[in-house]
Amino acid sequence: MAANIMNIQSGIAPTHILTKGFLDNYTLIGGSGLTMSLLIAIFLKGRDSGTKRISQLALLVCLFNVNEPLLFGIPLVLNPVYAIPFLLIPSIAYCIAYAATFLGVVPYVVHAVHWTTPVFLNGYMSTGAWGGVFLQVLLLGLGVGLYMPFVLISDRVMKKQYDRGMNEIIVAARGEDVSTGFKCVGLPGFEGFVARSLASDLVRALRAEEQLY
């Protein structure tokens, strides 16, 4: 990046395509894994209300390329469903952006812009042209299309997990084992999490008006 800036100041064409600014602009849109594309895919195709709620909360910070709420909220970390697109989509975006820059379709990244600069604004500021923004839009659209099938798969996996968890809770509720002090909320793992969530909802409903009849 420093060499490109020096070349521009000297009236020489930039020579380096692969810079940190290049990666920030085209392979880290919304953060690692091109997660802005994942957010849009969830809004368009996602059916799991919990995942959509997390995505809504993460939208604002994702515009500034911060994606920790998604990484640890959905979660994406160690998630086998999203592992393939999380690695593949940025790689495809890198190849397309590199080719477009090499062929002169979009200008080189020649201005240093902080990585938290909002999406699209950084594309314009770093290249000094709308071509960088148009390329970002193209890559976002491609990422959305590639993420969509995995969003649907994730929803199916989550539904099966919820159904299995509810069945385990029903079995525990009908049983006689109270070794943990509680039949359901003391269950380990996902089943216990669901039971405690339901119990918390019930407590709130009892305390509120017009919740239970």
Side-chain angles (χ1 to χ4, degrees):
M1 178 65 80
N4 282 351
I5 293 173
M6 190 176 297
N7 284 358
I8 290 294
Q9 291 173 347
S10 303
I12 305 171
T15 55
H16 300 281
I17 296 177
L18 179 56
T19 63
K20 183 181 183 301
F22 175 88
L23 295 176
D24 290 343
N25 275 8
Y26 304 126
T27 69
L28 300 174
I29 302 174
S32 55
L34 219 77
T35 40
M36 181 60 73
S37 291
L38 174 59
L39 268 182
I40 297 171
I42 290 172
F43 289 141
L44 291 176
K45 286 291 185 180
R47 295 181 179 178
D48 182 73
S49 58
T51 302
K52 277 198 166 184
R53 197 175 302 117
I54 291 170
S55 300
Q56 289 167 356
L57 294 171
L59 177 59
L60 180 60
V61 293
C62 202
L63 289 172
F64 295 89
N65 304 307
V66 177
N67 67 346
E68 277 74 9
L70 285 179
L71 290 179
F72 301 103
I74 289 180
L76 297 178
V77 175
L78 301 180
N79 187 332
V81 175
Y82 286 116
I84 293 174
F86 190 81
L87 297 173
L88 181 64
I89 292 172
S91 302
I92 294 173
Y94 167 82
C95 294
I96 293 173
Y98 193 98
T101 307
F102 180 79
L103 295 173
V105 177
V106 296
Y108 280 64
V109 174
V110 293
H111 301 289
V113 177
H114 197 271
W115 65 273
T116 57
T117 303
V119 177
F120 303 136
L121 180 60
N122 62 356
Y124 180 80
M125 291 177 62
S126 61
T127 61
W130 287 104
V133 179
F134 293 146
L135 181 56
Q136 285 182 319
V137 172
L138 172 66
L139 297 176
L140 267 178
L142 177 64
V144 170
L146 292 174
Y147 264 122
M148 274 186 179
F150 295 92
V151 169
L152 297 176
I153 293 171
S154 178
D155 282 349
R156 286 198 292 269
V157 170
M158 289 292 289
K159 187 178 185 305
K160 287 181 181 178
Q161 191 177 19
Y162 284 136
D163 291 344
R164 186 169 60 249
M166 288 303 299
N167 288 334
E168 291 291 332
I169 291 170
I170 292 170
V171 170
R174 290 173 175 170
E176 300 296 331
D177 183 15
V178 289
S179 58
T180 61
F182 302 93
K183 284 185 178 182
C184 300
V185 296
L187 291 171
F190 182 77
E191 292 77 15
F193 168 75
V194 173
R196 289 188 291 274
S197 297
L198 291 172
S200 178
D201 287 345
L202 181 58
V203 169
R204 283 195 296 271
L206 288 168
R207 290 174 177 171
E209 295 182 3
E210 300 181 356
Q211 289 286 323
L212 296 175
Y213 296 88

